[in-house]
Amino acid sequence: MNTVYRPFFAAGAMVAAVVAASPADAALQLAFDINGLPFACVDNGACDTNPALGILNIANSVFAGVDVNGSIQVSTGTPANPGLDILSSSSLSIINTNGVPVTGSAAISDTDFSWPVTSWQTSGSGTFVKAAGASTTFNWYIDPTNTQGANTSTDTPGMLVTTFTHPATSQADSFSTDAIGSVTLTSPFSMTEQFTLSLPPGAELLSRGQTIILGVPEPSTWAMGLLGFAFLGFTAYRRRNNRATPAFQG
């Protein structure tokens, strides 16, 4: 199986220090492993370049010959960052500058998302360049027990709600996936995104994006709601007209 790396990469001494200091529970955090070398970072830790809670931004870095740029993770719907329940992760580019293939894995997680929730939606995409033979797998998890994930690159508590695998078959190769489903969550919960990646020498993965959103009405629900509002509006209009029209006097 292929493995991916995702977020930030730094010199060996810095990686060791960051891994020893993080992650912490009940926080947005990430962990990755590239060719057996681990890295971890927690929201507002020394490795996070964005001071805002719920946004974990990793500086452009090179680790073990892998160049990662524009790495950012965002979590909303938690006490630290209220809003719609969303966990997203993206990177502008992941480039293997080695003369040999690389593999890696990564996980991004947060806890205490708001409830109740009855539906989930997921999305993922990216573009391979000079990468025939590369592959990636995206996984999305929800945990009703609210367990912190991403303590390691394969730490994914809860239930796997959907997965997607794409093998690159040409030098320029793009992919995308969307899924939707139902879930019943009646207390705070955690979400984790995980992905694996394999890149041949010189290969690139551009515009990698992965997100999960909970509690968004399905299109059919929106349609029924709009029809309901339209019916109520029409009924009110008829009642208004009936009151305004005097009875015929013969």
Side-chain angles (χ1 to χ4, degrees):
M1 180 146 184
N2 308 315
T3 351
V4 82
Y5 45 94
R6 130 43 359 210
F8 153 57
F9 310 146
M14 186 174 186
V15 170
V18 173
V19 170
S22 65
D25 287 343
L28 173 62
Q29 61 187 43
L30 66 86
F32 84 87
D33 183 287
I34 178 68
N35 278 357
L37 297 176
F39 170 82
C41 186
V42 66
D43 190 14
N44 273 181
C47 49
D48 182 10
T49 63
N50 192 316
L53 290 175
I55 303 177
L56 177 53
N57 200 170
I58 304 302
N60 297 344
S61 305
V62 178
F63 178 74
V66 175
D67 190 354
V68 175
N69 302 294
S71 172
I72 185 170
Q73 288 62 234
V74 179
S75 174
T76 63
T78 68
N81 197 9
L84 191 64
D85 290 339
I86 302 175
L87 179 65
S88 64
S89 172
S90 62
S91 52
L92 181 62
S93 64
I94 302 175
I95 306 169
N96 179 15
T97 64
N98 295 284
V100 296
V102 294
T103 60
S105 60
I108 304 92
S109 183
D110 202 353
T111 63
D112 296 326
F113 287 96
S114 59
W115 51 276
V117 167
T118 58
S119 65
W120 57 263
Q121 296 182 19
T122 61
S123 183
S125 62
T127 298
F128 281 117
V129 177
K130 299 178 292 184
S135 66
T136 189
T137 295
F138 287 3
N139 299 307
W140 293 264
Y141 297 84
I142 298 173
D143 184 18
T145 68
N146 201 31
T147 301
Q148 177 74 63
N151 290 298
T152 68
S153 65
T154 57
D155 178 22
T156 55
M159 54 187 176
L160 176 67
V161 295
T162 189
T163 184
F164 171 79
T165 297
H166 178 77
T169 57
S170 62
Q171 292 294 81
D173 188 301
S174 63
F175 60 90
S176 65
T177 179
D178 300 284
I180 189 170
S182 299
V183 65
T184 300
L185 299 167
T186 57
S187 62
F189 59 96
S190 66
M191 294 194 289
T192 302
E193 295 176 344
Q194 197 259 351
F195 72 94
T196 64
L197 180 67
S198 176
L199 286 178
E204 306 175 13
L205 177 57
L206 307 179
S207 302
R208 186 200 65 82
Q210 187 174 0
T211 192
I212 180 169
I213 301 178
L214 274 72
V216 179
E218 299 182 19
S220 59
T221 304
W222 280 113
M224 291 300 293
L226 290 174
L227 285 174
F229 283 125
F231 176 76
L232 290 174
F234 177 72
T235 302
Y237 171 78
R238 289 292 302 272
R239 286 175 179 169
R240 246 190 344 263
N241 275 4
N242 288 341
R243 286 197 300 268
T245 303
F248 174 75
Q249 302 292 327

